[in-house]
């Protein structure tokens, strides 16, 4: 049986974690948004979604709202972004960061959306599906609320692609294995399954692009990879005694030598919504 959502990922319900952890997570989301490799992933998605003035788009699982704000600029004039998240605390953080675009902030569950059919011209859903109980139900909802001819854009991580160099291989294997043990199968491979999930829905123009993020030093990696970040509290990344210190020591040494390397693939999958003609 899969562990309860909150046990395997704080992102399943950010309202139930302590405020100091939430602040760390919101800060981490913002730092990720500024990271050139995450920007490269988003650029790929942006090219696929092609946001345009006048459109109404949904950012499903918007987090601190970084993408929603950029989308709002792209759909102006006349467009609107609905920035939806499960977590009211995260939405509050997004609202605080609002810079004036046409964004409506809405609490909601991506797997049970409170919108009419065909409300949106397109949907952006980034690094959310790995955290929800039923990703296919959520994709079904995203399709339902997108108009015929509209675009769906899903971004998600393939944690099983994570690999290191410059550190002891066996130790890296232990750390990665430990992380794998804490994640469910769908968290490990959500990214690569997105294409199949969209095809299963009968959508058109399905594309899937793996973007392999490269981290050439520990500081760069720490922004995206919690297991490389000494600032991530023990409670957020519990490890067997001694493993964390030994690993972070190795990471630091590799960084000092200049040969630390980490890679992680994030997938961008897109499709056009088509519906059978009614007779
Ligand atoms: C890793 S964060 C990604 C946030 C944002 N998309 C980004 O890329 O910066 C995952 C987000 O999904 C939200 N989330 C998790 N489960 C959700 C659900 N069932 N419905 C809506 N949002 C959800 C979390 O609250 C969190 O803000």
């Amino acid at each position: 049986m899969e562990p309860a959502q909150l046990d395997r990922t704080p992102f399943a319900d950010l309202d139930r974690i302590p405020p100091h952890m939430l602040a760390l997570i919101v800060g981490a989301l913002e730092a990720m948004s500024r990271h050139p490799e995450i920007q490269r992933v988003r650029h790929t998605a942006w090219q696929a979604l092609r946001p345009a003035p006048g459109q109404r788009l949904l950012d499903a699982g918007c987090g601190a709202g970084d993408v929603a704000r950029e989308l709002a600029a792209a759909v102006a004039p006349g467009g609107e972004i609905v920035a939806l998240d499960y977590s009211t605390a995260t939405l509050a953080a997004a609202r605080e960061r609002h810079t004036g675009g046409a964004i409506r902030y809405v609490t909601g569950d991506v797997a049970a959306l409170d919108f009419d059919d065909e409300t949106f011209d397109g949907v952006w859903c980034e690094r959310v599906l790995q955290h929800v109980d039923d990703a296919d139900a959520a994709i079904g909802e995203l399709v339902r609320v997108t108009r015929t001819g509209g675009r769906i854009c899903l971004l998600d991580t393939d944690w099983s692609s994570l690999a290191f160099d410059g550190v002891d291989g066996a130790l890296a294997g232990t750390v990665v294995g430990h992380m794998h043990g804490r994640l469910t199968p769908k968290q490990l491979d959500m990214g690569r399954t997105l294409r199949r999930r969209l095809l299963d829905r009968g959508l058109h123009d399905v594309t899937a692009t793996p973007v392999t993020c490269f981290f050439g030093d520990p500081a760069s990696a720490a922004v995206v990879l919690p297991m490389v970040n000494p600032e991530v509290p023990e409670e957020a990344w519990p490890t067997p005694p001694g493993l964390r210190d030994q690993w972070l020591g190795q990471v630091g040494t590799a960084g000092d030598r200049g040969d630390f390397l980490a890679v992680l693939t994030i997938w961008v999958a897109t499709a056009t919504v088509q519906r059978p003609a009614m007779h």
Side-chain angles (χ1 to χ4, degrees), residues 5 10-15 25 29-30 32-33 38 42 59-67 84-87 90 108-111 113 124-133 138:
Q5 253 198 350
F11 285 112
D13 192 349
L14 290 177
D15 287 348
I25 285 180
L29 289 175
E30 289 186 299
M32 276 188 233
S33 287
I38 295 297
R42 287 183 177 166
D59 182 0
C62 64
D66 297 303
V67 169
L84 173 137
D85 204 281
Y86 197 62
S87 155
T90 308
D109 182 353
V110 69
L113 292 170
W124 180 292
C125 185
E126 177 176 347
R127 291 176 295 149
V128 176
L129 294 175
Q130 64 180 292
H131 303 297
V132 306
D133 274 330

Side-chain angles (χ1 to χ4, degrees), residues 17 25 56 112 125 128 206 257:
I17 63 170
I25 285 180
R56 178 186 289 161
C125 185
V128 176
V206 175
R257 270 198 318 267

Side-chain angles (χ1 to χ4, degrees), residues 197-269:
R197 292 173 193 272
L198 291 173
L199 288 170
D200 286 350
R201 290 266 150 204
L203 301 183
H204 289 216
D205 309 325
V206 175
T207 66
T209 309
V211 184
T212 297
C213 300
F214 165 81
F215 308 102
D217 62 73
S220 162
V223 175
V224 178
L225 307 175
M227 73 290 298
V228 177
N229 188 344
E231 307 292 320
V232 170
E234 193 95 45
E235 61 199 293
W237 186 51
T239 50
L243 179 61
R244 179 188 169 103
D245 288 347
Q246 196 190 356
W247 166 249
L248 290 176
Q250 282 253 342
V251 167
T253 305
D256 291 344
R257 270 198 318 267
D259 63 7
F260 173 88
L261 178 152
V263 286
L264 177 74
T265 298
I266 300 179
W267 286 79
V268 176

